[in-house]
Amino acid sequence: MSQTDTCACAPAAEKALGVGHPLDPLSLREIELATSLLTANQKLGPETRFAMVHLAEPTKAELAAHAGGAALARRAFLLVLDARTGAAHEAVVDLTAGAVSQWARLPNDAAPYGQPPVMLEEFARCEQIVKADEGWRRAMRRRGLTDADMELAQIDPFSSGFFGRDVEKGRRIVRAVSYYRSHLKDNGYAHPIEGVVAVVDLVANRVTDLVDDEVTVPIPRKNRDYNRESITETRTDIKPLHVVQPEGASFSVDGWEVSWQRWTFRVGFTPREGLVLHQLSYDDKGRKRSIIHRASVTEMVVPYADPTANHYWKSAFDAGEYGLGKLANALELGCDCLGHIRYFDIPAADDLGRPFVMKNAVCMHEEDYGILWKHYEFRNNTYEVRRSRRLVISFFATVGNYDYGFYWYLYQDGTIQLEAKLTGIIQTAAVAPGSTYPWGGMVDDGLGGPTHQHFFNVRLHMDLDGGGNSVTEHEFVPRPWGKDNPYGNVFDTTSRTLQRERDAARIADGATGRYWKVINPNQKNSVGKPTGYKLIVQPSPLMLAQEGSTVRHRGGFATRHVWVTRHDPAEKYASGDYPNVHAGGDGLPRYIQHNRDIDNQDIVLWHSFGHTHVCKPEDFPVMPVEYAGFMLKPNGFFDANPAMDLPAERNARSVDGRDANGHCCS
């Protein structure tokens, strides 16, 4: 980026902007100020689109200095696109000084560099472009659609992938697939139009290439609608379930800061990542102990295993190519969230840079989670049990056909969990009558679902007990028979410290129970070992696409479960800054080529996890939730179970654990 203006600012200026903390998301006022300052400074015209507007976050060092009273500028990051020319720029606006401090042109007009994410305004424009294209209309007529059918047709703009073709290089394109609909609320995914794919140039505003297979497959016409009006018979035996907290919730909220059961953290939100957790710490007997400086899901990729025209190129990077935060839902009480709810409204900018509020975008509530700890000592009739409660901080994003929920859980024993919930509607393929679908599973007559994978990557900027962290790797191995193992029952746990970045791109192994710990080698626990947290992962399949395939090259982060890098503020995303129409090779595979020292350093732990999905009839018309995720559990961080101080249940109980009415309190 070029440097045009710099400034120093004072805390009084922060107050003038209405800022409570340097990590608070931009307010509506700040968004309006940022876009107006940039528009005036660069003389931006009506063709300007604002793909991203969010806080330019201060660094750890800046935050520490600010806590000590140092001045700290309030800055906004903006990604802008000229819809007429396709030129893209990154900008930083110093809101305190009222000046543009950085303005740089991106090389997005030349491969292999990528494009800014697809914007909502472009979704609607793509449909208009496709439906006006005479080639597409001829393809529809060949498949029996009338002009009226074409008006009702559903057009799905899909991020295009990259295969090195001239139509892709340096172009801002999407690939569009079509679905028949008999009425506006018809579930188009029940009626895919196979063998027709339009390549749409969003700058030229035209179809630049059209695939129209010579052999046509009949469009499935069976309706599979899921709206409540279409489901006439519902269950009648469900009794009401109420979650009641008559004294309110146990958490407290001060602006964007949350305190709950010894936990404190700050809520953040970006258009790309959605929910961000900042400065996650735990109060250990009056000592505030930092654990994670910043946690977020930075990327997803969903590659498909069907080589035919409609599907081989599908590999959506839902964060980098669209923006999980931009596509966040307004959550509803009683449906998305249950209980005593605290919502966070998110200030945001639309594609024209106008500020608006995303209502109820983040939901927070408490949940009962069964037994936390329990023991019944029959020798002296000691019976103690404590129920577990967890804090849930979540948001949902709808990316085309799929809906993804991201649920962070904090537990009273110091455990941290992220759970991704996958639901929505599967991609579908039309199958000729009498044929089977070789690239996935049949979900209905004439309707197949392509096999595919969902990969997520979470970025954890660790700050365990104040930084200077390392990652150790451990495995369980049986000890050979011998004098030190005369009964053959002994097994050992191996341990090694990951030293450099290339050594720290690792794969989980269920056979050996391989796991990793983040430790602070500068802090000792009560038994003389480094304080630590254990990463618990699922040894699920990684990217199954072949070496040399474009999707594997572009989604390299999904080829390893665990990556560790030295913190670099420029390395924010697992797939790199701009994966849209990018040739690949960016992100984590590039970051680790530096091969920096990661022992006792300011490190970032990246974890790739996901779900491999072979479609089945039960996945349609709307898929029941599938789950994927991980846990971080204290491992030598505390000197004892930190949840021992939980009070006993208020109800009086007998030795067998029942209250005065004979009800079990466990």
Side-chain angles (χ1 to χ4, degrees), residues 106-139:
L106 298 179
N108 61 306
D109 56 349
Y113 204 87
Q115 293 282 335
V118 182
M119 291 176 278
L120 291 174
E121 178 265 339
E122 293 173 316
F123 274 63
R125 185 150 46 90
C126 176
E127 179 171 334
Q128 296 169 0
I129 293 167
V130 170
K131 289 185 175 181
D133 182 74
E134 187 53 40
W136 178 84
R137 298 185 76 83
R138 283 195 301 269

Side-chain angles (χ1 to χ4, degrees), residues 26-29 31 256 328-330 344-350 354-361:
L26 296 178
S27 66
L28 292 175
R29 181 183 173 192
I31 291 169
W256 297 93
N329 296 174
F344 291 87
D345 296 337
I346 303 299
D350 68 13
R354 298 172 300 198
F356 73 100
V357 174
M358 302 177 72
K359 293 291 293 181
N360 297 0

Side-chain angles (χ1 to χ4, degrees), residues 282-569:
Y282 193 96
D283 186 329
D284 183 14
K285 301 174 183 175
R287 176 187 168 202
K288 186 175 181 180
R289 301 178 67 186
S290 60
I291 299 171
I292 301 175
H293 179 67
R294 190 183 192 276
S296 69
V297 174
T298 75
E299 194 52 276
M300 292 178 52
V301 64
V302 187
Y304 283 78
D306 182 333
T308 61
N310 275 47
H311 308 283
Y312 74 89
W313 45 270
K314 290 178 179 174
S315 55
F317 290 73
D318 290 336
E321 293 182 331
Y322 302 102
L324 294 173
K326 295 198 82 168
L327 300 176
N329 296 174
L331 303 175
E332 295 186 22
L333 181 63
C335 298
D336 296 290
C337 307
L338 193 64
H340 191 100
I341 304 301
R342 171 62 157 85
Y343 289 111
F344 291 87
D345 296 337
I346 303 299
D350 68 13
D351 293 345
L352 298 178
R354 298 172 300 198
F356 73 100
V357 174
M358 302 177 72
K359 293 291 293 181
N360 297 0
V362 173
C363 169
M364 184 171 70
H365 65 287
E366 295 177 283
E367 287 181 347
D368 179 88
Y369 199 64
I371 303 301
L372 176 55
W373 61 264
K374 174 178 178 174
H375 184 61
Y376 171 45
E377 180 52 70
F378 66 91
R379 297 172 184 82
N380 57 20
N381 284 339
T382 297
Y383 181 95
E384 295 293 344
V385 60
R386 302 293 186 272
R387 293 197 66 81
S388 178
R389 192 179 297 188
R390 66 184 183 184
L391 185 68
V392 185
I393 316 100
S394 65
F395 84 106
F396 245 97
T398 298
V399 189
N401 54 300
Y402 263 112
D403 300 74
Y404 298 102
F406 298 93
Y407 285 65
W408 287 96
Y409 302 122
L410 302 179
Y411 294 84
Q412 293 160 308
D413 66 350
T415 297
I416 303 163
Q417 181 182 5
L418 173 63
E419 183 175 69
K421 300 186 180 186
L422 295 71
T423 181
I425 304 177
I426 60 172
Q427 284 285 305
T428 51
V431 180
S435 299
T436 58
Y437 182 55
W439 315 114
M442 295 293 293
V443 298
D444 205 338
D445 295 336
L447 195 65
T451 297
H452 56 284
Q453 295 184 280
H454 300 261
F455 292 108
F456 307 87
N457 185 274
V458 65
R459 178 183 183 273
L460 304 170
H461 185 182
M462 301 305 299
D463 195 33
L464 204 69
D465 273 337
N469 291 172
S470 302
V471 174
T472 57
E473 182 177 279
H474 309 265
E475 297 185 80
F476 303 114
V477 294
R479 183 177 294 189
W481 291 89
K483 292 182 178 179
D484 56 354
N485 188 21
Y487 305 106
N489 62 311
V490 179
F491 60 92
D492 299 302
T493 307
T494 65
S495 177
R496 72 184 185 100
T497 301
L498 304 181
Q499 299 288 338
R500 307 191 76 84
E501 290 173 321
R502 291 185 194 174
D503 181 45
R506 306 296 296 155
I507 296 175
D509 186 347
T512 65
R514 184 178 296 158
Y515 68 92
W516 296 268
K517 285 174 60 176
V518 180
I519 63 170
N520 188 326
N522 312 295
Q523 301 290 329
K524 295 294 188 284
N525 60 22
S526 58
V527 293
K529 300 292 185 181
T531 58
Y533 256 74
K534 177 182 177 181
L535 175 66
I536 300 175
V537 310
Q538 298 298 319
S540 55
L542 291 163
M543 176 80 75
L544 294 172
Q546 286 287 348
E547 289 279 0
S549 64
T550 59
V551 65
R552 189 179 182 92
H553 192 49
R554 298 177 70 236
F557 72 87
T559 63
R560 299 290 188 274
H561 290 109
V562 171
W563 309 72
V564 185
T565 61
R566 175 96 70 89
H567 176 256
D568 181 334

